Every structure is written in C-alpha cells, then in structure tokens.
Amino acid sequence: MDASAPGAFWNGPLARLDQELFHLLNGKWHNSFLDSFLPYMRESIIWIPLYLFLFVLAWSNFGKKGLGWIVFAILTAALTDIVSSGIIKELIPRFRPCNDPQLAHSVRFLVLNCPKNSSFTSSHAASHFGAAMFIFQTYRYIWNKAWIAFLWAGMIAYAQVYVGVHFPLDILCGALVGCGIGWGTSLIFNRQIGLRTFDKLSTQS
C-alpha cells in the first residue's frame, strides 16, 4: 500500500514525541562508524549464513526435533510478515520518515531506497523480534545465553531508525507484534515437540 493518506493520529502528541526521539536517534546521536556499519546490518542477505547455521545446528543436534524447530522458525517468520506487512500496514497508513514531506529535508537517509508502503509497523522489527523470542523460548532451557538473540534483534531494529526508514514507535510496536507471535509459536513447539530432553547442549554454557 502506498502510505499517502496517514490518519490524524500521526499529528497528535504521541506522534510528535515519536518524531523528536527519531531526530535524536537518526540525527544527533550518530557517528561515522555507525554510519558505515548499521546500513549493512539491516540487510537480510547479511544474515543468511546465520540462518543456515541455526538450521544445520538444529537438524544435526536434534534430529526430528530439530526439523520441527526449523518448521516452526519458518512459520514464525511467515506469521510476523503476514501480520505486520499484510494486515497492520494495510490498515494503518503512515509516512516513513524518508517519505514524510514535513520531515524528509531533515532526515539522515543512509540507504538507497525509501519504501513506499506504510511505516507502521516495522516488519524488520516484527520478524527479528519474533525470531528472537522463538529462539529464546525454545533454547533457554538448554543454553543460558539464549537472550543474546534479543540483542541481535534490537541492533537490527535500531538500524531501521538510524538509517531513516522507520520511527521509534514503528519499531516498538513491531517488536511487540513479533514477540507476541514468537511467544505463541514457541509455546506450541515446546508443548508438542520441545528440545528440553536433549542433554548434549545442556552441559555447555
């Protein structure tokens, strides 16, 4: 959807606070290292080796349970995209910072293209926080550092604001959507399949 008719809500007090925070994260709080680093961190292709590693790790260590884990991980990604991109973005139009006629002149835009669809919610945040929640909830019983997945998701979500394609509220709500879906799929997975009974990784920390 072309977000050409954002609702009146985006001119309200919360939206103005959101814009002020955006200008801090995108404008004032920047440096040359982050300018070079973060645009790449938000690109999906960068993380393909990580996804393949996680799939191979699950399959090689957990067998059929690992195959189930892979299926549920893919299901989590698909659901976050459907809810964020296919439903919420269609129902709630909002200009992206880089497309907002009132803000575009003051945005530090660090990527090549500014998407034309709605800014709300961030599908990057939804998908990566969905993955992080799923990983955390399914691995936390056997790996006490599974919380690192949230740092990974947070870095990618932050990059979306830093490069100028999302507002902080887009990120926050996208993260909540993703966490909710990731929690739901992990709950079903843990009850129906689960990885707790595997001892090989439980002795490692």
Side-chain angles (χ1 to χ4, degrees), residues 75-89 181:
L75 175 63
T76 302
L79 287 174
T80 55
D81 185 64
I82 290 171
V83 173
S84 179
S85 297
I87 299 177
I88 299 178
K89 285 181 182 292
I181 293 172

PDB file of all heavy atoms in Angstrom, residues 75-89 181:
ATOM      1  N   LEU A  75       7.656 -20.816  10.214  1.00  0.00           N
ATOM      2  CA  LEU A  75       6.277 -20.417  10.465  1.00  0.00           C
ATOM      3  C   LEU A  75       6.224 -19.088  11.220  1.00  0.00           C
ATOM      4  O   LEU A  75       5.403 -18.214  10.904  1.00  0.00           O
ATOM      5  CB  LEU A  75       5.562 -21.502  11.277  1.00  0.00           C
ATOM      6  CG  LEU A  75       4.124 -21.186  11.719  1.00  0.00           C
ATOM      7  CD1 LEU A  75       3.212 -21.008  10.507  1.00  0.00           C
ATOM      8  CD2 LEU A  75       3.594 -22.280  12.634  1.00  0.00           C
ATOM      9  N   THR A  76       7.110 -18.914  12.187  1.00  0.00           N
ATOM     10  CA  THR A  76       7.176 -17.666  12.943  1.00  0.00           C
ATOM     11  C   THR A  76       7.479 -16.493  12.023  1.00  0.00           C
ATOM     12  O   THR A  76       6.832 -15.440  12.093  1.00  0.00           O
ATOM     13  CB  THR A  76       8.246 -17.757  14.046  1.00  0.00           C
ATOM     14  OG1 THR A  76       7.941 -18.847  14.921  1.00  0.00           O
ATOM     15  CG2 THR A  76       8.311 -16.463  14.855  1.00  0.00           C
ATOM     16  N   ALA A  77       8.470 -16.676  11.146  1.00  0.00           N
ATOM     17  CA  ALA A  77       8.835 -15.610  10.198  1.00  0.00           C
ATOM     18  C   ALA A  77       7.673 -15.283   9.277  1.00  0.00           C
ATOM     19  O   ALA A  77       7.395 -14.103   8.999  1.00  0.00           O
ATOM     20  CB  ALA A  77      10.059 -16.044   9.394  1.00  0.00           C
ATOM     21  N   ALA A  78       6.981 -16.308   8.789  1.00  0.00           N
ATOM     22  CA  ALA A  78       5.864 -16.089   7.873  1.00  0.00           C
ATOM     23  C   ALA A  78       4.720 -15.347   8.564  1.00  0.00           C
ATOM     24  O   ALA A  78       4.134 -14.417   7.998  1.00  0.00           O
ATOM     25  CB  ALA A  78       5.369 -17.423   7.325  1.00  0.00           C
ATOM     26  N   LEU A  79       4.410 -15.725   9.789  1.00  0.00           N
ATOM     27  CA  LEU A  79       3.314 -15.089  10.514  1.00  0.00           C
ATOM     28  C   LEU A  79       3.616 -13.628  10.835  1.00  0.00           C
ATOM     29  O   LEU A  79       2.734 -12.770  10.733  1.00  0.00           O
ATOM     30  CB  LEU A  79       3.024 -15.862  11.809  1.00  0.00           C
ATOM     31  CG  LEU A  79       2.329 -17.216  11.639  1.00  0.00           C
ATOM     32  CD1 LEU A  79       2.232 -17.926  12.986  1.00  0.00           C
ATOM     33  CD2 LEU A  79       0.950 -17.032  11.030  1.00  0.00           C
ATOM     34  N   THR A  80       4.850 -13.332  11.227  1.00  0.00           N
ATOM     35  CA  THR A  80       5.191 -11.934  11.531  1.00  0.00           C
ATOM     36  C   THR A  80       5.057 -11.061  10.289  1.00  0.00           C
ATOM     37  O   THR A  80       4.590  -9.926  10.363  1.00  0.00           O
ATOM     38  CB  THR A  80       6.618 -11.810  12.098  1.00  0.00           C
ATOM     39  OG1 THR A  80       7.559 -12.404  11.185  1.00  0.00           O
ATOM     40  CG2 THR A  80       6.737 -12.487  13.455  1.00  0.00           C
ATOM     41  N   ASP A  81       5.446 -11.599   9.140  1.00  0.00           N
ATOM     42  CA  ASP A  81       5.328 -10.829   7.905  1.00  0.00           C
ATOM     43  C   ASP A  81       3.862 -10.634   7.519  1.00  0.00           C
ATOM     44  O   ASP A  81       3.468  -9.543   7.086  1.00  0.00           O
ATOM     45  CB  ASP A  81       6.077 -11.539   6.775  1.00  0.00           C
ATOM     46  CG  ASP A  81       6.097 -10.709   5.497  1.00  0.00           C
ATOM     47  OD1 ASP A  81       6.689  -9.615   5.516  1.00  0.00           O
ATOM     48  OD2 ASP A  81       5.499 -11.143   4.504  1.00  0.00           O
ATOM     49  N   ILE A  82       3.062 -11.680   7.672  1.00  0.00           N
ATOM     50  CA  ILE A  82       1.639 -11.577   7.341  1.00  0.00           C
ATOM     51  C   ILE A  82       0.956 -10.533   8.211  1.00  0.00           C
ATOM     52  O   ILE A  82       0.204  -9.681   7.721  1.00  0.00           O
ATOM     53  CB  ILE A  82       0.948 -12.944   7.504  1.00  0.00           C
ATOM     54  CG1 ILE A  82       1.420 -13.909   6.411  1.00  0.00           C
ATOM     55  CG2 ILE A  82      -0.575 -12.789   7.462  1.00  0.00           C
ATOM     56  CD1 ILE A  82       0.962 -15.335   6.614  1.00  0.00           C
ATOM     57  N   VAL A  83       1.229 -10.577   9.517  1.00  0.00           N
ATOM     58  CA  VAL A  83       0.556  -9.662  10.436  1.00  0.00           C
ATOM     59  C   VAL A  83       1.040  -8.234  10.247  1.00  0.00           C
ATOM     60  O   VAL A  83       0.241  -7.287  10.159  1.00  0.00           O
ATOM     61  CB  VAL A  83       0.760 -10.113  11.898  1.00  0.00           C
ATOM     62  CG1 VAL A  83       0.209  -9.066  12.868  1.00  0.00           C
ATOM     63  CG2 VAL A  83       0.069 -11.454  12.135  1.00  0.00           C
ATOM     64  N   SER A  84       2.363  -8.050  10.166  1.00  0.00           N
ATOM     65  CA  SER A  84       2.904  -6.691  10.064  1.00  0.00           C
ATOM     66  C   SER A  84       2.699  -6.096   8.677  1.00  0.00           C
ATOM     67  O   SER A  84       2.119  -5.013   8.534  1.00  0.00           O
ATOM     68  CB  SER A  84       4.392  -6.687  10.416  1.00  0.00           C
ATOM     69  OG  SER A  84       4.929  -5.382  10.296  1.00  0.00           O
ATOM     70  N   SER A  85       3.169  -6.803   7.649  1.00  0.00           N
ATOM     71  CA  SER A  85       3.103  -6.257   6.287  1.00  0.00           C
ATOM     72  C   SER A  85       1.736  -6.430   5.639  1.00  0.00           C
ATOM     73  O   SER A  85       1.252  -5.543   4.940  1.00  0.00           O
ATOM     74  CB  SER A  85       4.168  -6.926   5.404  1.00  0.00           C
ATOM     75  OG  SER A  85       5.455  -6.644   5.881  1.00  0.00           O
ATOM     76  N   GLY A  86       1.110  -7.586   5.878  1.00  0.00           N
ATOM     77  CA  GLY A  86      -0.130  -7.886   5.184  1.00  0.00           C
ATOM     78  C   GLY A  86      -1.379  -7.357   5.841  1.00  0.00           C
ATOM     79  O   GLY A  86      -2.405  -7.187   5.179  1.00  0.00           O
ATOM     80  N   ILE A  87      -1.313  -7.097   7.153  1.00  0.00           N
ATOM     81  CA  ILE A  87      -2.510  -6.643   7.862  1.00  0.00           C
ATOM     82  C   ILE A  87      -2.338  -5.231   8.422  1.00  0.00           C
ATOM     83  O   ILE A  87      -3.056  -4.301   8.039  1.00  0.00           O
ATOM     84  CB  ILE A  87      -2.881  -7.625   8.993  1.00  0.00           C
ATOM     85  CG1 ILE A  87      -3.192  -9.018   8.411  1.00  0.00           C
ATOM     86  CG2 ILE A  87      -4.073  -7.092   9.791  1.00  0.00           C
ATOM     87  CD1 ILE A  87      -3.496 -10.074   9.450  1.00  0.00           C
ATOM     88  N   ILE A  88      -1.385  -5.061   9.329  1.00  0.00           N
ATOM     89  CA  ILE A  88      -1.269  -3.769  10.031  1.00  0.00           C
ATOM     90  C   ILE A  88      -0.919  -2.639   9.071  1.00  0.00           C
ATOM     91  O   ILE A  88      -1.516  -1.561   9.118  1.00  0.00           O
ATOM     92  CB  ILE A  88      -0.231  -3.859  11.168  1.00  0.00           C
ATOM     93  CG1 ILE A  88      -0.667  -4.909  12.192  1.00  0.00           C
ATOM     94  CG2 ILE A  88      -0.073  -2.491  11.849  1.00  0.00           C
ATOM     95  CD1 ILE A  88       0.322  -5.112  13.325  1.00  0.00           C
ATOM     96  N   LYS A  89       0.051  -2.859   8.204  1.00  0.00           N
ATOM     97  CA  LYS A  89       0.436  -1.807   7.253  1.00  0.00           C
ATOM     98  C   LYS A  89      -0.721  -1.413   6.339  1.00  0.00           C
ATOM     99  O   LYS A  89      -0.826  -0.265   5.913  1.00  0.00           O
ATOM    100  CB  LYS A  89       1.639  -2.254   6.417  1.00  0.00           C
ATOM    101  CG  LYS A  89       2.966  -2.224   7.155  1.00  0.00           C
ATOM    102  CD  LYS A  89       4.089  -2.665   6.231  1.00  0.00           C
ATOM    103  CE  LYS A  89       5.434  -2.708   6.927  1.00  0.00           C
ATOM    104  NZ  LYS A  89       5.920  -1.390   7.297  1.00  0.00           N
ATOM    105  N   ILE A 181       3.972 -13.106  18.567  1.00  0.00           N
ATOM    106  CA  ILE A 181       3.896 -14.249  17.660  1.00  0.00           C
ATOM    107  C   ILE A 181       4.964 -15.282  18.006  1.00  0.00           C
ATOM    108  O   ILE A 181       4.691 -16.496  18.035  1.00  0.00           O
ATOM    109  CB  ILE A 181       4.041 -13.782  16.205  1.00  0.00           C
ATOM    110  CG1 ILE A 181       2.819 -12.938  15.805  1.00  0.00           C
ATOM    111  CG2 ILE A 181       4.211 -14.969  15.250  1.00  0.00           C
ATOM    112  CD1 ILE A 181       2.945 -12.271  14.461  1.00  0.00           C
TER     113      ILE A 181
END
